[in-house]
Amino acid sequence: MSSDKGAKVFKTKCSQCHTVEAGGAHKQGPNLHGFFGRQSGQAEGYSYSTANKNSGVIWGDDTLFEYLENPKKYIKGTKMVFAGIKKAGERKDLIAYLKAATSS
């Protein structure tokens, strides 16, 4: 896993809808700071789909790895319009980056 490679994945596939810094703005998607270990649908001030709020998913390496492959399949009814990342290596790199970039 490479956080540097993950940063590039985030920039090209995620940054148009998400921010990672503490106090960062919500965009089309929520700010992701502090989301590891948190239940989905909980970022304050963001309007989540009912499906996301009620999914009960706790974000961690395993749940993110599956979710990022196909978000609409993992949380049916999510409003995230991202098709997913099919390459396992890219997902692992992205998760490594997100862990570092979103931690307090």
Side-chain angles (χ1 to χ4, degrees):
M1 291 185 289
S2 166
S3 182
D4 289 342
K5 286 182 185 175
K8 290 176 185 158
V9 174
F10 184 84
K11 186 176 181 184
T12 59
K13 298 188 179 194
C14 312
S15 66
Q16 48 280 43
C17 295
H18 294 282
T19 58
V20 292
E21 64 278 351
H26 295 307
K27 292 173 144 183
Q28 184 172 345
N31 170 274
L32 300 175
H33 195 268
F35 83 110
F36 265 88
R38 187 170 70 200
Q39 184 173 322
S40 73
Q42 304 299 310
E44 198 170 313
Y46 184 76
S47 177
Y48 287 93
S49 66
T50 302
N52 206 301
K53 286 190 276 190
N54 295 338
S55 70
V57 172
I58 305 294
W59 295 123
D61 291 39
D62 294 343
T63 51
L64 262 178
F65 186 77
E66 286 187 51
Y67 177 77
L68 290 169
E69 183 177 19
N70 188 340
K72 288 187 178 298
K73 182 178 177 187
Y74 194 77
I75 298 179
K76 290 183 182 4
T78 184
K79 64 182 184 180
M80 185 160 152
V81 294
F82 182 62
I85 300 171
K86 302 307 175 216
K87 294 179 181 174
E90 278 189 12
R91 293 197 310 274
K92 287 179 182 178
D93 291 340
L94 177 58
I95 292 166
Y97 167 75
L98 288 172
K99 262 188 174 170
T102 64
S103 60
S104 300

